[in-house]
Amino acid sequence: MASTAVLYTPEVLALATSLAAYRLDEHLPLRGDARSRSCGSTLALGLAVDQGGRITSVGVRSQACAIGQASAAVFAQNAVGRETTEILHAADAVERWLAGQGDLPQWPALATIAAARDYPGRHGALMLPWNAALQILGPPPASA
């Protein structure tokens, strides 16, 4: 197994601290919660979506390790402006990638936390924002 120095890089730690810019606003209408069974990390996600189905606002409250916080930051920094179906497809792609069933998904900055794939105990933390989004938006549409 790789060294944790590979996992907790300065870039990962910087992402984790950047999550503070996405405070959970109690007025966000859509709410979801996720918990990692492997480490106990938790995340509350709030979203606002316009009538066209695009994310307009994101808020996060996290009690997670640096990987969970960094993953939430990667999600939050790149979710606004995306259609809900894009979020659902990305969540599915991240889950398949972690399971070894696909390439690294095309989501900005996800490569920064890609080393977590080699740490199965961190998969649940990495999936926190995606699982909370699935709770809010529903399961991904069937692939064409």
Side-chain angles (χ1 to χ4, degrees):
M1 185 172 280
S3 161
T4 57
V6 172
L7 185 59
Y8 297 110
T9 65
E11 293 81 11
V12 167
L13 298 175
L15 273 173
T17 61
S18 75
L19 190 57
Y22 300 93
R23 295 197 186 279
L24 185 60
D25 179 348
E26 298 301 323
H27 295 99
L28 288 169
L30 305 174
R31 299 314 261 315
D33 297 295
R35 182 179 185 278
S36 168
R37 289 181 287 178
S38 61
C39 67
S41 292
T42 61
L43 181 135
L45 178 68
L47 297 175
V49 178
D50 68 16
Q51 291 180 341
R54 289 193 181 275
I55 305 294
T56 59
S57 188
V58 176
V60 179
R61 181 173 44 244
S62 175
Q63 293 183 338
C65 67
I67 294 300
Q69 291 180 35
S71 182
V74 165
F75 176 90
Q77 290 172 359
N78 298 288
V80 173
R82 293 186 185 259
E83 294 182 5
T84 57
T85 55
E86 289 180 83
I87 302 294
L88 297 173
H89 284 297
D92 182 57
V94 171
E95 188 169 41
R96 285 186 288 111
W97 168 71
L98 286 172
Q101 299 172 357
D103 294 329
L104 180 68
Q106 296 297 310
W107 186 270
L110 191 58
T112 307
I113 57 174
R117 183 178 180 195
D118 295 337
Y119 295 82
R122 294 294 179 253
H123 289 187
L126 194 147
M127 284 300 300
L128 286 170
W130 306 102
N131 287 339
L134 288 172
Q135 186 183 68
I136 295 168
L137 303 173
S143 299

